[in-house]
Amino acid sequence: MSATYRFAVAPSGFKESLSAQDAARAIAEGLLRVVPDAEIDLIPLVDGGEGTAQALASATGGRLVHRTATGPVGEPVATHFALLGGPAHGPRTAVVEMAAVAGLGLVPPDRRDPVSTTTYGVGELIRAALDAGAHRILVGCGDSGTSDGGAGALQALGARLLDADGSELPPGGGSLRRLSRIDASGLDPRLSEAEMLVACNPYNVLCGPQGVARVFGPQKGANAHQVEELSEALDHWAGVLARDVRPRLCGAPGSAPPDALRHGPGTGASGGLGAGLAALGARLLPRFEVLLDHLDLDARLARADLVITAEGALDRQTPRGKVPAEVARRAKLFGRPVLALAGTIGEGAQQVRESGVDAYSGILPAPVGLAEALDRGGEFLADASERALRMVLIGIGLTPTGAPGHRAAASGEALAQAG
């Protein structure tokens, strides 16, 4: 293969195993074993979860600001937010990555109880960003360990959540069933002057059969009883939010429609944090619309002969706003073949072909325990990248249109055959 062959490596992170940067480097290592003189463009992608603040700070010439805040189980954690670089005439923009202060990775395995975990630290970071002079705050949603509807964040920003006796509710989504009213008079007044954008998965909604408690509660440690408890609590939370908070911020009497908070796109992001911040006036936006503009992704995919993407789990959720599906969709605008690698291949993974993925493969060479898979993720990903590219080369060699002028088409056909 000629040195003029170009690969775009655009993975997300592998939760609790590899950051997006580490995943990109591992894939590149495997590719270079096969084609040592290849041109590889590393494009580690973030979806609002772990690594978002660091990635956007690096892409814009900004910096991380380190703080200590309240973690998801109520104990202090070392965390950070980013202040972005960029044009001096633009508003000062901060990035608050909820995973850095309330992510699942910060919840010890023996304390994973989404009924009681809190987003209080998210509110503390938003307040710290305001203290730093930010006029625009971008909140990245993803990899959360909470299901409190953003209640903790609102408390940190000055709201009081009161039961029928006028007592403050304890942390966690489970207590929201007892919420009687929200005293919003103490909310930080700077919230009304700052622009808040929430980068989220628009497919995640707060309530209903596909609500966040039912879809993601079990992943965060909820049993069947707790799933129903949280679902009921978040439904009640949406109604009280719409009644007590949104009208005050809008300066309008009467109630805002609670269904907008229950079923609006993105309201279920990060255990319902999307709904809580929407009640404060935040705009909930598709995460890739917000995040990828900083990375010039489309132009970089257009220059590639082959696009390789990856994530921890490839399944029926992948086409619903996950990195591989978005990368494939954009790559197909330029006719580029796409290979997806994943830590696990789950039910419905074949649906990613509809997003533009030509072929996909798991990275594990044999059945291994979870701890080993997480610990050796980089090694397995590099080996899988090497295997996949060797298969592509075989496919190109067997394809009549494999001449250099037809590299992209030939690679796509080879991927389809191998996948």
Side-chain angles (χ1 to χ4, degrees):
M1 191 177 259
S2 164
T4 59
Y5 275 79
R6 297 177 296 272
F7 301 117
V9 177
S12 68
F14 285 44
K15 192 175 298 184
E16 299 185 80
S17 178
L18 298 169
S19 68
Q21 291 84 353
D22 290 338
R25 285 191 288 266
I27 293 170
E29 177 186 334
L31 299 179
L32 290 171
R33 293 174 192 168
V34 186
V35 190
D37 53 0
E39 295 179 11
I40 301 179
D41 186 5
L42 299 186
I43 319 171
L45 296 181
V46 291
D47 60 3
E50 295 176 5
T52 294
Q54 176 66 71
L56 294 187
S58 298
T60 61
R63 62 187 176 90
L64 289 184
V65 180
H66 296 276
R67 289 287 186 271
T68 297
T70 304
V73 297
E75 298 171 355
V77 297
T79 185
H80 57 262
F81 65 92
L83 289 174
L84 301 188
H89 61 272
R92 191 169 204 190
T93 300
V95 178
V96 171
E97 173 192 319
M98 83 86 60
V101 70
L104 187 62
L106 296 174
V107 184
D110 61 348
R111 299 180 68 179
R112 292 191 172 173
D113 176 14
V115 171
S116 61
T117 48
T118 179
T119 55
Y120 196 92
V122 178
E124 291 178 312
L125 287 185
I126 292 173
R127 199 170 63 217
L130 292 170
D131 292 341
H135 296 288
R136 174 186 292 148
I137 299 175
L138 170 59
V139 180
C141 288
D143 302 327
S144 71
T146 59
S147 291
D148 73 347
L154 266 66
Q155 287 176 305
L157 290 167
R160 298 179 65 221
L161 312 185
L162 306 174
D163 65 16
D165 297 325
S167 300
E168 188 91 15
L169 293 182
S175 67
L176 295 176
R177 293 181 303 167
R178 298 189 285 109
L179 179 65
S180 178
R181 66 184 181 92
I182 301 172
D183 178 359
S185 62
L187 280 170
D188 193 316
R190 296 174 295 178
L191 292 169
S192 62
E193 302 169 0
E195 179 185 26
M196 194 182 311
L197 307 176
V198 179
C200 59
N201 188 338
Y203 291 100
N204 293 344
V205 298
L206 185 66
C207 302
Q210 296 300 311
V212 66
R214 292 192 170 93
V215 175
F216 296 106
Q219 298 177 16
K220 301 175 184 180
N223 58 36
H225 172 74
Q226 289 174 320
V227 165
E228 295 308 313
E229 178 183 354
L230 283 170
S231 184
E232 176 186 332
L234 292 174
D235 187 82
H236 179 62
W237 167 242
V240 181
L241 264 181
R243 184 193 70 199
D244 291 355
V245 178
R246 188 66 175 149
R248 173 185 176 276
L249 293 176
C250 293
S255 296
D259 279 353
L261 295 180
R262 290 190 175 108
H263 307 298
T267 53
S270 290
L273 176 64
L277 296 182
L280 297 181
R283 288 194 289 149
L284 309 187
L285 299 172
R287 52 192 173 185
F288 298 122
E289 178 182 316
V290 179
L291 301 173
L292 300 187
D293 286 345
H294 297 282
L295 302 175
D296 196 24
L297 178 62
D298 289 350
R300 296 166 76 176
L301 296 178
R303 290 193 292 267
D305 295 307
L306 174 64
V307 176
I308 302 99
T309 184
E311 70 170 342
L314 206 69
D315 55 31
R316 66 176 55 183
Q317 291 294 327
T318 301
R320 298 174 64 84
K322 297 293 188 71
V323 162
E326 181 67 13
V327 169
R329 183 187 70 79
R330 291 175 180 240
K332 280 298 176 281
L333 296 176
F334 309 102
R336 297 300 180 253
V338 180
L339 166 67
L341 301 172
T344 61
I345 303 295
E347 184 179 353
Q350 68 275 9
Q351 296 175 20
V352 300
R353 294 183 185 275
E354 300 172 9
S355 303
V357 172
D358 294 286
Y360 58 88
S361 177
I363 69 172
L364 299 181
V368 298
L370 177 60
E372 181 181 0
L374 295 177
D375 185 59
R376 299 176 63 189
E379 173 190 343
F380 290 147
L381 184 55
D383 291 346
S385 301
E386 177 185 357
R387 292 193 301 269
L389 184 54
R390 292 191 187 282
M391 292 292 289
V392 170
L393 294 182
I394 292 174
I396 292 175
L398 295 176
T399 303
T401 55
H406 299 280
R407 286 177 303 177
S411 296
E413 293 172 14
L415 283 170
Q417 294 165 13

